[in-house]
Amino acid sequence: MVLNGPNLNLLGTREPEIYGHDTLDDIAARLVARGAELGIEIDCRQTNHEGMLVDWLHEAREGGVHAVLLNAGAYTHTSIALLDAIKAIQLPVIEVHLSDPEARESFRHLSYVGMAAVDCVKGLGPDSYLVALDRAAAL
Ligand code: CA2
């Protein structure tokens, strides 16, 4: 399961110097193609709502999901609810970022998601998701 948080629906439309030119649909298509090579089914979602991400993390546990790739967007840096949900579901969650938040403003240096995630892939643009998928497949 690949979960994307707020504003990531705007990918490819603004700030390409930070986030690249690919849309989220482009990234999802690349994940599905790589997943097919690996024999892994990809379920890629996006929401602008924090509670929806919490609900989807719970759903992952119920649905027998192998691993979650999570780009929680700005909620990465604010959401204790996501931290609690990741701890609660007892599934491997890999934190993903297009940019490298630690190379940006200081308010992006703290990651609540990272406090419970098993791994983090960041700073590679859309390739961050592909690398994270390969790591998830190896878990
Ligand atoms: O680098 C990442 O993947 C981030 O998770 C992206 C978040 C940011 O708050 C995190 O610190 C790092 C922001 C996503 C905003 O996406 C946009 C896409 C296109 C245009 C504007 C925003």
Side-chain angles (χ1 to χ4, degrees):
M1 184 178 273
V2 184
L3 302 183
N4 293 281
N7 298 306
L8 288 161
N9 54 312
L10 300 177
L11 270 185
T13 66
R14 290 180 206 150
E15 301 189 75
E17 67 285 1
I18 300 176
Y19 300 117
H21 290 279
D22 286 3
T23 66
L24 198 55
D25 281 348
D26 294 333
I27 294 171
R30 290 173 65 187
L31 285 167
V32 168
R34 179 68 183 141
E37 290 171 5
L38 296 166
I40 292 174
E41 188 181 333
I42 304 293
D43 179 355
C44 190
R45 307 178 184 189
Q46 188 275 333
T47 178
N48 292 321
H49 304 280
E50 183 178 13
M52 186 64 78
L53 289 170
V54 172
D55 285 346
W56 285 343
L57 287 166
H58 294 178
E59 187 184 325
R61 183 186 57 176
E62 307 303 323
V65 165
H66 174 73
V68 178
L69 311 189
L70 175 60
N71 184 350
Y75 291 140
T76 302
H77 317 298
T78 62
S79 180
I80 297 168
L82 283 178
L83 169 61
D84 287 345
I86 296 165
K87 284 182 175 172
I89 61 172
Q90 296 187 307
L91 272 181
V93 173
I94 300 181
E95 178 180 6
V96 178
H97 298 288
L98 295 149
S99 65
D100 178 358
E102 292 194 348
R104 300 178 62 189
E105 305 95 324
S106 58
F107 59 80
R108 297 185 201 275
H109 296 184
L110 175 69
S111 172
Y112 287 103
V113 168
M115 292 176 195
V118 298
D119 201 352
C120 177
V121 186
K122 61 186 181 178
L124 304 177
D127 286 347
S128 292
Y129 289 83
L130 276 300
V131 171
L133 178 58
D134 283 350
R135 291 195 193 168
L139 289 172

